[in-house]
Amino acid sequence: MSKARVMVVDDESILRMDLKEMLAEAGYEVVAEANNGELAIEMAALHHPELIIMDVKMPRMNGIKASRIIEKTFKIPVVLLTAYSQNETIEEAKKAGISGYLVKPITEKQLIPAVEIALAQNQKVKRLLKDMKNLEQKIEDRKLIEKAKGIVMESLGINEDDAYQKLRTYCMNHRVIMKELAHYIIKHKSIDFSVKISS
Ligand SMILES: [Mg+2]
């Protein structure tokens, strides 16, 4: 598996160089860098890194504000770097949806696990969101099918099982998916089972 594409943001060029070196050594690809929060947002839009490592204290726009915007707009996980471990900064970072938090000086021993955890968490969140969307879609489909079934039951004066069987048979015979058929039935308030539908 290829390693993630990372962006490095710090106003100190020496620190950026250090970080780039540590990341490269661990197999990550550093695709962009920036020296302030504003530029970080631009670069995130341009390069779509999978993870951003970002200093807190920077000119023009600080790392927390930039992280908040990046999290909202691009959903890219951010690991923050800070020179101080004051409680307010941690509180602010939590609110900005930060994936990790490291206190300078940064060592490879700290950096790489933090990067890996942030990436893994992000993957998990993405998977959960996808599962949730699928589930919502399934519930919606089920509702549609139930409604269509009700229409068939009423218009043909048949019971639920028979109505469902009719829908299933129709779908198999005409190679139509159930959801499509349900849409058609709801739209037209009825169906002629001997004719192939066209939406
Ligand atoms: Mg700084």
Side-chain angles (χ1 to χ4, degrees), residues 10-11 55 57:
D10 198 299
D11 57 331
D55 184 25
K57 211 170 173 203

Side-chain angles (χ1 to χ4, degrees), residues 6-11 16 31-49 51-56 58-71 73-74 76-80:
V6 181
M7 173 161 88
V8 169
V9 186
D10 198 299
D11 57 331
R16 286 203 307 276
V31 290
E33 58 185 288
N35 59 5
N36 67 69
E38 259 178 38
L39 188 60
I41 295 168
E42 270 177 46
M43 287 300 188
L46 207 62
H47 296 279
H48 293 283
L51 177 85
I52 300 170
I53 295 165
M54 177 129 65
D55 184 25
V56 171
M58 290 183 293
R60 293 174 74 95
M61 187 191 287
N62 72 47
I64 290 181
K65 190 169 178 200
S67 299
R68 195 158 38 222
I69 293 167
I70 285 170
E71 148 67 22
T73 319
F74 309 111
I76 302 169
V78 177
V79 172
L80 272 187

Side-chain angles (χ1 to χ4, degrees), residues 130-140:
K130 207 175 139 199
D131 286 351
M132 227 163 73
K133 267 206 178 134
N134 282 341
L135 203 64
E136 275 170 13
Q137 188 60 55
K138 267 189 191 155
I139 291 169
E140 277 311 302

Side-chain angles (χ1 to χ4, degrees), residues 4 6 28 50-53 75-80 97-102 110-126:
V6 181
Y28 290 100
E50 289 157 79
L51 177 85
I52 300 170
I53 295 165
K75 306 268 175 251
I76 302 169
V78 177
V79 172
L80 272 187
I98 295 303
S99 298
Y101 193 91
L102 295 172
Q110 293 179 292
L111 178 70
I112 302 307
V115 164
E116 272 167 24
I117 288 169
L119 284 167
Q121 272 176 342
N122 192 248
Q123 286 298 321
K124 212 163 135 185
V125 169
K126 273 192 191 155

